[in-house]
Amino acid sequence: MSIQRTVDDKPGVQDIDQNEQRNRDQEELSQIFKQLPEGDQGLLALGSDGVFRSLTGNRDIVGAVGLRPALIKALLDRGPFSHEAEDKYRGVDGTNVPVEQWWKPERSMLPPALTEAEIKEEEEFAALHSDKIKEVAEKRAAGLLEPCGPLIRSDHNLGPKD
């Protein structure tokens, strides 16, 4: 009795294809990071609706994009593994969210605004490191800093539960 295998059945072939796709997803996510405007004293946050938002310190939205499931996974994989995150984002597709909701989500989808103490801490940090921050910004603008790739720290599974 002989066992026949096709090229697709070879161990590792599917892994290579999946890794290539993961790399493309990470590259696409990195482009999204570059294109989103930065909010003053803000942050980037992924809502439970799958929309990736750029927020100010007061949590006004200055940029938003709905992420497809593979990009949600790519973003989660940049952080430590979390079963809670897998459950929260399983089946979520930000591309299905109406654009109006990107800009006016339920407030519960956004992190809380910075406190006065946190704002003061941010301002002190920026003042203390203003020379270095300016230097890095100038080098980036001049193309003198070689960008580094993302650090992949985990492998979330957002597919259906078995």
Side-chain angles (χ1 to χ4, degrees):
M1 175 178 203
S2 67
I3 298 174
Q4 296 181 343
R5 299 180 87 173
T6 64
V7 172
D8 294 335
D9 291 334
K10 287 183 183 176
V13 171
Q14 184 178 0
D15 293 339
I16 292 169
D17 292 341
Q18 286 178 347
N19 286 335
E20 287 175 9
Q21 185 58 52
R22 284 187 191 123
N23 288 339
R24 285 192 289 272
D25 293 339
Q26 288 294 342
E27 288 172 20
E28 184 178 346
L29 184 62
S30 291
Q31 288 304 313
I32 290 169
F33 270 85
K34 291 176 188 173
Q35 293 169 357
L36 279 175
E38 293 182 31
D40 184 41
Q41 296 176 329
L43 62 103
L44 298 172
L46 179 62
S48 58
D49 57 357
V51 176
F52 193 47
R53 296 176 177 91
S54 179
L55 309 167
T56 66
N58 292 328
R59 301 314 183 237
D60 296 323
I61 300 167
V62 296
V65 61
L67 299 183
R68 58 187 169 81
L71 294 180
I72 294 172
K73 175 189 171 11
L75 181 61
L76 295 177
D77 287 351
R78 291 183 180 195
F81 180 80
S82 166
H83 285 290
E84 181 181 315
E86 276 189 339
D87 291 340
K88 180 178 182 178
Y89 293 105
R90 189 178 315 283
V92 173
D93 186 341
T95 63
N96 293 331
V97 175
V99 173
E100 301 82 38
Q101 189 176 322
W102 292 11
W103 300 98
K104 295 185 182 196
E106 293 179 28
R107 283 317 232 181
S108 64
M109 293 220 185
L110 305 177
L114 294 175
T115 64
E116 288 298 320
E118 290 169 325
I119 290 171
K120 185 177 179 184
E121 185 180 329
E122 291 276 330
E123 289 170 348
E124 289 173 355
F125 179 87
L128 182 64
H129 300 286
S130 63
D131 291 341
K132 187 66 176 173
I133 293 169
K134 183 179 176 184
E135 177 187 339
V136 169
E138 289 171 354
K139 285 182 177 180
R140 275 195 184 130
L144 299 175
L145 283 180
E146 189 72 29
C148 59
L151 174 62
I152 309 305
R153 300 174 60 195
S154 58
D155 185 15
H156 291 82
N157 179 357
L158 302 183
K161 283 191 172 181
D162 295 331

